Each structure stands twice: as structure tokens, then as C-alpha cells.
Amino acid sequence: MIAGQRRAHKYIWIGILVLLPMLMILAVKDLDFSAADASGTSTDLPVSVSLNGQSVSIQVNTPFKSTSSLVYEMLADGSKGAVLGQLEGRGTYDFPVSEATKGIYVVDPIKDVELLKMEF
Amino acid sequence: MGLDYKWVLWNAHKKTYDRLILLGMVTYLVLFFVLSFLTNPEIIAETVIIRAFGSLAIIMLHIILAIGPLSRLNPRFLPLLYNRRHLGVSMFLAALVHGVFAIIQFHALGNSNPIVSVFTSNMDYGSLVNFPFQVLGFLALLILFTMASTSHDFFLHNLSPKIWKGLHMGVYLAYALVIMHVFLGAFQQDTSFLTVLALFLGLITLVSLHVRAALKEAKIDGFVWAKDTKGWLAVCHPREIAESYAKIFTVDGERVAIFKHEGKLSAIHNVCKHQGGPLGEGKIVDGCVTCPWHGYQYLAHNGQSPPPFTEKVKTYALKIENDMVYINPEAFPEGTAVTPISSGS
């Protein structure tokens, strides 16, 4: 290698050493592992749901074993309203809701089984 | 070294190494399949294929990235360096199988184009932890494809060594993308702390090797030679250089090899025009300096490859005073003839 290439290699590896662990730590930090593991609560539940104004945020901690998992809004009378969306793997899902929404249902539409019912 | 291009440059050694690469890959895949089905009988073949080839490609990528610094730290690893290109292409093929099966498995059954689906199935680009990790893997695969498809000497010659080397340093970007692809995938799919731990250990090992090799190189580059009144550098005694071999010195940041051929000394730039091999670690064969990496040859007195080849390297003026070899740090243009000086031995 010529001198310039040797220098480039050195700086690239220093960059990798700094950047990759930083990205990894920031990603893990977003997951908030420590809080979840310490309390032993939030990750014990398959999902946690929170209402944030005009949207509902669903944190899937353990993926549902159903083939398909649809989210329905719960209306004031407890009946199922519109489909809000679909849950797949682990992660956070945000769906817009109306003021009439009182909760959510998670349903397996193939087996027609109610997987979760949660009121706000 | 040849005038014409062949699809694959094979010799007896390369064939042996290629057989070892193939044997290693097949052994790993068979072991992975057997262990996967033994530990999880319900697992489907497509998943095992994706995981087996993906993990194989990552392991091979780590080996490839470790070969360079290992060779600089210990010459015993040089044979691996000479055969690194074939290992790289094999690694790309393993990554390609992983990528193709993953795209078929996860993106080929919908309405949209599978490639478009890779980029649009998860649009959480604003999140770090939920970032679409498959996109990172796809981009890494594109870089590896570019490198594998231009790895042939035809491209090296036509793109120029500088551009070719720059293009192939894209492997570092591919490595960073692959690490984040696996890291985020490990959290977004089945959380595997073992995978993350292995990734982190691999990263630490690679960075340590590269930094250690860089420090060793910096030490060599930083050596200050005594100068005479005209600025020539006193580098060694003539007897320190063995007949038909060279000693390497750093002159103004660049490596120079001083060869002894038939009792006379000549100095040329240490970097081979082919792939940057260290000419000073080679020897003189049939009157020519022969690069230890791929056998490219140069005449020591003018830095030119013997006709009909056209490669040229810089040459340097030498003199001997008081039993000391002095080198003029100002190089002559590539291919300039310089009369060899008698070493007195």
C-alpha cells in the first residue's frame, strides 16, 4: 500500500471503532432494556398500549403466534369498529384513532379469535 | 503475470486454497443444517438456508478483513493474502444466496416488486432501533456485488490501480452496513444476545488487529534517517542487503526497496503496480524483481516491467560513502533508468 492508503485505512478503522458501537448503543438505548428487565413487567406482557392524543401506540414485546393479527378500534358500546392496522413482529406501531375510540381489539381474522382486548 | 485475460487465474497453489475454501464452506453449511434441525425440528428449510448462508458470509467477511493486518503483523499469513480475492468472491456468493432467499421468503409473495418491497415494507426510517435492517443488508450486497464483479485483473488494469483500490475499500462500508443489518435484525426478529455478542467480539478483534498493524506501520514510517549535507539519507551498510533480495526503507513517507543484484544496488518504489504488493519482500528471479503476491516483474535498474509488459515504478539514486548506503529521497519519474552502484561485495 502507498502512504495515502495506509493513512486512509487507519482513519477508516478509527471511524468504525467510534461509529458502530455508538450506533449500537443508541439503538439498544431506544429499546430501554434496562428498565424493562429491572422491573420485570413491561416485557412480561406481550404488548403494551398507550393512547397519545389522536393516536394509539402499541408496543409489541412478544410477537403474536397467530398467522395474522389485525387491530380494531373499540367503540363506545364495546363493539368492534374500523380496522386500524396490522401487527407483525416485535416493535412499536402507531395508529391514528378518533375521539370515539375507547380501546382496541387484536384479532386473528383467519381463525376468528380475539387475541387481546384493551380499554383505555 | 500475463498479456491476455483468463476468467480465473489458477495455479497449483490457488487451486489448493480454493478447494480448502470450498471444503470449509460446505462443512460449515452441513454442520449448521444438522445442528439447526436437531435443536429445532420445526424450523423450515428456507429459514435455515437464510441463516446458514448469512452467518457463513459474515464469518468469511471477518476472515477477509483480518487477513490484511495479520499479514502485516506476521508474514506467515501472506499466503492467505495472495488468495484473498477468491475468498472474497466466495463470500459474495454466500451473501447472495442469503439475500436472494430472504427476498423470496419475505418479499416475493406480495403485490409489489420484491426489491421495492425491501425498501417499503418497513418505512420506519426515522427510528434507530426499528430502522428497516433489510435495506442495510441489501445495500451491503450491492457493494459486495460491485467488488466481486470488478475483482478481475481486467478491471484492475482498465480502472487503474488507484481507482480499483478505492472502489474495493468499499468493503469497509459494506462491513459497517452488515454489522448494523445483523445487529438490528437480531433485535427486531428473534432477539439473540449470542449473535450480538459474537458481532461485538468480531468488531473488537478486527479493530484491534487493524490498529495494531497501523501502529506498527506508523513506527516504520516514522523512523528518521541521518542525512548528509545534500539531503541524502544514510540507510544501511551494503552488506546488510543479501544478494538477489532487498531491504525496505521509508523515505519521505513512501516505502523504497533497495535490491542487490549481481553485487550491485538499485532502489525502486516498494509498491507493485498490480495490487500494491510489497516488491521488497520479493526476490530477483531471472534478473527481475518479482512481486511476492502475484509474480509481477520489474527490472531493478529502471523500474520497468520487461517487454512486452508496460508497468513502471519510480526509481531512486543511490551512493555509497564510508561503507554506508545513501539514498536520494527525491524519486525519479516512473521507469527512469539509474545506473546500479557497486556494493563492493
Side-chain angles (χ1 to χ4, degrees):
Chain A
M1 280 193 287
I2 57 174
Q5 287 167 345
R6 285 200 295 275
R7 266 197 306 276
H9 273 82
K10 189 166 69 179
Y11 294 134
I12 284 170
W13 279 104
I14 290 171
I16 285 175
L17 176 65
V18 174
L19 273 180
L20 280 186
M22 200 165 74
L23 286 171
M24 287 174 176
I25 290 165
L26 286 175
V28 173
K29 192 167 153 269
D30 277 4
L31 278 177
D32 200 14
F33 268 120
S34 53
D37 289 340
S39 65
T41 53
S42 62
T43 50
D44 289 346
L45 295 170
V47 295
S48 53
V49 182
S50 58
L51 186 66
N52 307 313
Q54 294 297 301
S55 75
V56 61
S57 179
I58 304 173
Q59 168 83 38
V60 178
N61 300 316
T62 307
F64 290 99
K65 291 181 178 173
S66 55
T67 311
S68 175
S69 310
L70 286 184
V71 182
Y72 288 84
E73 66 172 340
M74 182 194 291
L75 301 177
D77 61 356
S79 62
K80 275 190 281 189
V83 174
L84 298 177
Q86 187 168 1
L87 302 179
E88 292 173 349
R90 185 194 309 267
T92 305
Y93 301 81
D94 292 310
F95 303 117
V97 291
S98 65
E99 286 182 2
T101 306
K102 300 299 175 195
I104 58 158
Y105 290 99
V106 179
V107 175
D108 178 349
I110 296 170
K111 293 180 181 171
D112 197 19
V113 176
E114 186 181 295
L115 303 171
L116 181 78
K117 178 183 176 184
M118 194 168 280
E119 287 185 55
F120 301 138
Chain B
M1 197 171 184
L3 274 176
D4 57 338
Y5 295 107
K6 293 177 180 171
W7 279 108
V8 184
L9 284 173
W10 263 319
N11 56 34
H13 289 298
K14 280 197 179 292
K15 281 182 179 173
T16 303
Y17 277 103
D18 286 354
R19 283 191 198 104
L20 286 174
I21 291 170
L22 185 64
L23 181 68
M25 291 174 75
V26 171
T27 305
Y28 177 85
L29 292 171
V30 169
L31 276 175
F32 196 101
F33 269 75
V34 170
L35 288 175
S36 295
F37 282 112
L38 281 178
T39 53
N40 185 4
E42 292 179 2
I43 199 166
I44 58 171
E46 289 88 337
T47 302
V48 183
I49 289 171
I50 290 168
R51 290 180 180 177
F53 279 91
S55 56
L56 173 63
I58 289 173
I59 291 169
M60 291 175 78
L61 181 59
H62 278 79
I63 294 171
I64 288 164
L65 291 174
I67 287 174
L70 282 174
S71 304
R72 289 198 287 281
L73 293 169
N74 190 332
R76 280 188 304 173
F77 291 99
L78 277 173
L80 294 176
L81 193 66
Y82 309 155
N83 297 279
R84 190 168 56 174
R85 246 197 289 190
H86 289 194
L87 190 60
V89 174
S90 306
M91 181 270 294
F92 163 69
L93 293 176
L96 183 65
V97 173
H98 166 81
V100 167
F101 268 83
I103 288 172
I104 291 172
Q105 174 89 336
F106 300 116
H107 299 281
L109 303 175
N111 293 329
S112 54
N113 180 303
I115 305 296
V116 174
S117 173
V118 169
F119 288 87
T120 56
S121 61
N122 173 4
M123 297 293 283
D124 209 350
Y125 286 92
S127 161
L128 194 53
V129 70
N130 291 318
F131 193 90
F133 72 96
Q134 293 176 345
V135 170
L136 302 176
F138 187 83
L139 294 177
L141 193 60
L142 282 184
I143 294 172
L144 295 178
F145 168 75
T146 308
M147 291 175 57
S149 59
T150 58
S151 66
H152 199 276
D153 269 357
F154 173 82
F155 291 98
L156 174 63
H157 187 78
N158 286 286
L159 290 173
S160 83
K162 194 179 174 186
I163 292 175
W164 188 88
K165 184 69 184 172
L167 186 69
H168 282 243
M169 280 168 74
V171 71
Y172 301 122
L173 179 58
Y175 171 72
L177 290 169
V178 164
I179 293 296
M180 290 312 293
H181 166 70
V182 180
F183 185 81
L184 294 178
F187 281 115
Q188 290 174 23
Q189 303 287 314
D190 299 322
T191 301
S192 167
F193 286 101
L194 271 181
T195 306
V196 174
L197 184 66
L199 274 186
F200 202 71
L201 288 177
L203 173 66
I204 295 296
T205 306
L206 280 182
V207 171
S208 305
L209 280 172
H210 278 271
V211 169
R212 211 177 141 201
L215 289 175
K216 185 186 174 188
E217 300 281 330
K219 197 175 170 186
I220 296 169
D221 289 344
F223 194 88
V224 180
W225 306 100
K227 287 183 183 176
D228 71 1
T229 51
K230 292 178 181 171
W232 291 50
L233 309 176
V235 288
C236 67
H237 297 289
R239 61 181 175 279
E240 289 179 46
I241 303 172
E243 176 62 34
S244 298
Y245 286 90
K247 275 184 83 80
I248 301 168
F249 306 95
T250 302
V251 174
D252 281 356
E254 289 294 347
R255 304 282 169 85
V256 176
I258 303 181
F259 276 91
K260 186 186 283 184
H261 176 47
E262 295 176 344
K264 293 183 175 176
L265 301 177
S266 301
I268 59 173
H269 192 221
N270 188 50
V271 180
C272 178
K273 284 291 178 179
H274 178 221
Q275 274 195 40
L279 294 174
E281 291 175 21
K283 63 177 182 178
I284 293 182
V285 178
D286 297 330
C288 292
V289 172
T290 304
C291 179
W293 284 14
H294 303 96
Y296 271 56
Q297 290 189 308
Y298 303 86
L299 294 164
H301 71 277
N302 61 13
Q304 296 180 13
S305 291
F309 303 104
T310 55
E311 284 76 15
K312 291 176 190 169
V313 293
K314 290 175 190 168
T315 54
Y316 294 80
L318 295 174
K319 67 180 181 182
I320 295 180
E321 284 179 7
N322 301 323
D323 194 32
M324 201 72 190
V325 179
Y326 285 83
I327 183 168
N328 184 346
E330 288 188 18
F332 291 116
E334 293 173 348
T336 304
V338 179
T339 306
I341 58 167
S342 174
S343 66
S345 57

